[in-house]
Amino acid sequence: MEQVNQSSLTEFILDGLTDIPELQLPIFFIFLGVYLVTVVGNLGMIILIVFSSQLHTPMYYLLSSLSFIDCCQSTVITPKMLVNFVTEKNVISYPECMAQFYFFCVFAVAECYMLAVMAYDRYVAISKPLLYNVTMSYQVCLLMIAGVFGMGFLSSTAYGSFMIRLLFCKANIIRHYFCDYFPLLELSCSSTFINEALLWSLGSFNIFLPAVTILSSYIFIIVSILHIQSTGGRRKAFSTCSSHILAVAIFYGSLAFMYLQPPSVSSLGQSKLSSVFYTIVVPMLNPMIYSLRNKDVKVALKKLIQKVNVHTTKNDFY
């Protein structure tokens, strides 16, 4: 029993996205650009919401939390992945691998629930506008955000606790670009039955509960929109919730495709491709599709830029 807490491997080698030498450098610059856009976009959104009083509403509090999750998720995965394109072997130590796996799970689960909370927020705003300030008060928003991160850490702790009990004594090459669930299980020479059962049970719960919440919210939203008499009112109501449907579909689709099928069915190429969507692409797209098309955000950004310019001009004058 003492052996289960130890690993005979002290380090792993991440296989990366591709082993074709001609593609290494171009892909490096592509994903470096994606990462920079992700960090600048999400941090910029957080700063804009913090310093713009007109954005101090429940919708944008939740949006800033989503931006924080996306920025952290991308930072956990992308920098280490970029190393693989410029080095012959992308070595990651056992503790670093377990830490990457843990925080990847935290932010992946948190994003699932944050998308659900944001959908519920839009449901209340459109279907029950008179009760919105009471239903989505500042205290309620804080509790929801705390619950989102609580589910992330709780789920990740469960996954991580059983992962570190495995004994890794096979080949040390992880056939992925980060320390993911199934690639790690493939290297274990211990029984992985509990780990797979935990993923199927808790993983299904963490995907289906938020997905059902999102679907239910949109059904009620559509019903409410259909009851609006004016065409302009329908268009305005629909525009407040339609922009992130694509991101939700990409995130949940790739996540379900990756984790809700037996390991024997999924191929290496499919798992890497689907992982790229929810770990790298979605965090980059979210600031754009949630906010850059939003009129309130554009106005707030213009006012903030004007304030900065006025402040700079005064300092230059004095």
Side-chain angles (χ1 to χ4, degrees):
M1 293 298 292
E2 297 179 357
Q3 194 179 20
V4 295
N5 292 322
Q6 301 175 355
S7 172
S8 60
L9 295 178
T10 59
E11 63 183 24
F12 298 99
I13 297 175
L14 294 171
D15 192 35
L17 280 175
T18 179
D19 55 359
I20 303 176
E22 294 79 8
L23 296 179
Q24 299 284 349
L25 198 58
I27 295 180
F28 169 81
F29 285 111
I30 290 174
F31 282 103
L32 177 61
V34 169
Y35 178 64
L36 293 177
V37 171
T38 301
V39 173
V40 172
N42 285 290
L43 289 183
M45 189 55 55
I46 294 173
I47 293 172
L48 180 63
I49 292 172
V50 169
F51 289 98
S52 300
S53 57
Q54 63 267 40
L55 298 183
H56 291 176
T57 62
M59 173 182 174
Y60 293 105
Y61 289 145
L62 299 177
L63 180 57
S64 63
S65 298
L66 179 68
S67 293
F68 175 77
I69 292 171
D70 285 333
C71 189
C72 292
Q73 176 77 301
S74 185
T75 301
V76 167
I77 302 297
T78 311
K80 192 62 181 176
M81 181 193 71
L82 292 174
V83 174
N84 190 77
F85 297 119
V86 294
T87 58
E88 185 176 350
K89 290 183 178 181
N90 188 8
V91 178
I92 183 170
S93 67
Y94 177 82
E96 186 181 0
C97 184
M98 292 298 108
Q100 185 188 55
F101 168 75
Y102 180 84
F103 286 105
F104 156 70
C105 292
V106 169
F107 296 116
V109 174
E111 177 135 358
C112 288
Y113 285 97
M114 184 57 69
L115 291 174
V117 169
M118 293 178 72
Y120 175 76
D121 170 74
R122 291 300 83 203
Y123 153 70
V124 176
I126 294 174
S127 300
K128 301 180 180 179
L130 298 179
L131 299 175
Y132 181 74
N133 290 332
V134 176
T135 307
M136 294 298 297
S137 64
Y138 180 73
Q139 292 79 7
V140 171
C141 280
L142 286 180
L143 288 175
M144 286 183 170
I145 293 171
V148 165
F149 284 98
M151 287 301 300
F153 280 102
L154 181 65
S155 300
S156 186
T157 300
Y159 293 138
S161 298
F162 285 97
M163 184 64 72
I164 62 175
R165 293 175 61 86
L166 296 179
L167 180 64
F168 296 98
C169 56
K170 297 182 181 180
N172 66 337
I173 299 178
I174 298 176
R175 302 181 65 195
H176 216 331
Y177 59 88
F178 70 100
C179 295
D180 202 1
Y181 207 90
F182 287 133
L184 283 172
L185 295 187
E186 290 179 357
L187 301 183
S188 174
C189 50
S190 306
S191 173
T192 59
F193 174 78
I194 296 179
N195 301 76
E196 294 179 19
L198 179 67
L199 180 64
W200 273 90
S201 56
L202 188 56
S204 298
F205 179 82
N206 287 332
I207 291 178
F208 284 124
L209 179 60
V212 168
T213 302
I214 292 172
L215 183 60
S216 302
S217 298
Y218 278 124
I219 290 175
F220 286 113
I221 286 171
I222 292 173
V223 171
S224 299
I225 291 176
L226 292 177
H227 282 86
I228 298 176
Q229 300 297 326
S230 65
T231 304
R234 289 182 180 181
R235 186 182 299 110
K236 182 179 179 181
F238 185 74
S239 65
T240 63
C241 63
S242 62
S243 61
H244 76 300
I245 293 178
L246 178 60
V248 169
I250 293 174
F251 179 80
Y252 277 96
S254 57
L255 203 64
F257 182 80
M258 175 69 182
Y259 293 105
L260 297 185
Q261 58 177 321
S264 58
V265 174
S266 61
S267 67
L268 178 62
Q270 289 176 333
S271 63
K272 287 184 179 181
L273 181 61
S274 59
S275 297
V276 165
F277 275 101
Y278 69 81
T279 60
I280 299 174
V281 176
V282 171
M284 178 192 68
L285 291 178
N286 279 342
M288 303 177 188
I289 62 179
Y290 280 101
S291 307
L292 296 184
R293 296 172 56 190
N294 187 296
K295 182 179 179 181
D296 293 336
V297 172
K298 291 180 180 179
V299 172
L301 180 60
K302 186 180 295 185
K303 288 183 178 179
L304 185 61
I305 292 175
Q306 290 175 349
K307 287 182 181 179
V308 172
N309 289 336
V310 170
H311 182 71
T312 304
T313 303
K314 287 182 178 180
N315 287 340
D316 291 341
F317 178 78
Y318 289 106

